[in-house]
Amino acid sequence: MLLVCLIWGTNFSVIKSAFPLMPPLAFTAVRFVISSALLWGLLRWREGPVVLPRGKRAALVALGILGNTLYQVAFTVGLAHTEATNSSLIISAVPTVVLAFGALLGIERPSGRMYAGVALATAGVALVVTAKGVAFERETLYGDFLSVLAMLCWAGYTLGVRRYLRGVSPLAVTALTTITGTPGLVLVGAPQVLRLDWHALTGAVWMALAYSSVLSLVVAYFIWNSSIQRVGSSRTAIYMCVTPLFAAASAWVILG
């Protein structure tokens, strides 16, 4: 999970660095097509023909739309309209939301130590990141609002995987929710993709696509879903508090 935090923390700046040459929705559509193809091939290679347990198909489709289509549109467009540090700080509220709603809906029974841990971690994130300075201003308000929507979508996805997809392998959860979330992203991103000047894309943009497709989606999503099934949604989500530290550091190095 610390590897996931490193991958996702760096991903904020990697994605943002590609936006001047590749618009946000086009970038997201292309990276999900690449990731879906990789995950489908990996799933067939590792598990053969996919046979889903009864009653899981609707959940997979719904969670694919929530955790990929809606989350990625809100996250990517939000990131394009706010600071990378702002976005990462908002997304780091996922553990608090997962803990609260997980307890409210009876998905998990958090202990007092877990509540204390989430509170301490969230306060620590706020202390470290705001020391650098967070610009919640009129210019970033739209992006900040979309980042909040993205955070809620990801929290819902995390709880949904824990509640509805028990018995489905982490690789199948990762592959099938990514694939079911991709058509919506392609549809939304199609206008930007069609207007894109592919010859103007630099090697750095293609490297950003490769990073975001292979590491951020395939590797990190697989680890995330594995962790949810092994230790629960609250214990997995608390690691999101570490992500802004990597995000702020990488934003300083990559974006200045």
Side-chain angles (χ1 to χ4, degrees):
M1 282 305 303
L2 288 174
L3 176 61
V4 171
C5 295
L6 174 61
I7 292 171
W8 282 350
T10 305
N11 193 53
F12 285 91
S13 296
V14 169
I15 290 178
K16 200 168 179 67
S17 68
F19 286 167
L21 292 177
M22 195 169 191
L25 296 178
F27 186 92
T28 301
V30 172
R31 71 190 278 244
F32 263 79
V33 169
I34 295 171
S35 298
S36 293
L38 290 173
L39 282 166
W40 179 253
L42 184 61
L43 181 62
R44 292 299 303 269
W45 173 55
R46 296 290 297 178
E47 299 186 10
V50 180
V51 180
L52 295 178
R54 284 184 180 180
K56 303 292 185 182
R57 294 180 182 178
L60 281 165
V61 172
L63 291 173
I65 293 172
L66 179 65
N68 289 305
T69 307
L70 299 179
Y71 167 75
Q72 289 293 337
V73 170
F75 167 73
T76 308
V77 178
L79 183 59
H81 289 85
T82 189
E83 301 290 336
T85 306
N86 285 29
S87 181
S88 66
L89 179 59
I90 293 169
I91 297 296
S92 72
V94 165
T96 305
V97 176
V98 167
L99 187 72
F101 280 92
L104 185 65
L105 298 174
I107 297 174
E108 292 183 350
R109 295 181 179 178
S111 64
R113 291 177 62 188
M114 291 178 68
Y115 280 113
V118 168
L120 181 62
T122 303
V125 169
L127 179 65
V128 173
V129 177
T130 54
K132 179 261 179 189
V134 179
F136 290 109
E137 301 170 351
R138 180 176 298 179
E139 292 76 12
T140 66
L141 190 60
Y142 177 62
D144 296 334
F145 172 72
L146 288 177
S147 296
V148 172
L149 290 181
M151 179 270 295
L152 293 174
C153 288
W154 188 251
Y157 171 84
T158 300
L159 290 168
V161 168
R162 176 68 168 171
R163 181 166 190 168
Y164 298 110
L165 296 183
R166 292 177 181 176
V168 182
S169 75
L171 179 57
V173 170
T174 305
L176 296 174
T177 54
T178 300
I179 291 168
T180 55
T182 296
L185 293 171
V186 171
L187 184 63
V188 172
Q192 290 186 358
V193 172
L194 294 174
R195 294 194 302 267
L196 191 62
D197 182 4
W198 294 92
H199 297 290
L201 301 185
T202 63
V205 174
W206 288 110
M207 288 178 64
L209 268 173
Y211 181 98
S212 294
S213 301
V214 178
L215 292 179
S216 181
L217 290 181
V218 176
V219 175
Y221 269 46
F222 172 71
I223 297 173
W224 180 270
N225 290 325
S226 298
S227 182
I228 291 172
Q229 295 195 0
R230 292 185 183 186
V231 302
S233 53
S234 297
R235 291 179 181 273
T236 297
I238 196 172
Y239 281 88
M240 291 291 286
C241 292
V242 184
T243 302
L245 308 183
F246 290 114
S250 62
W252 176 53
V253 174
I254 298 172
L255 303 176

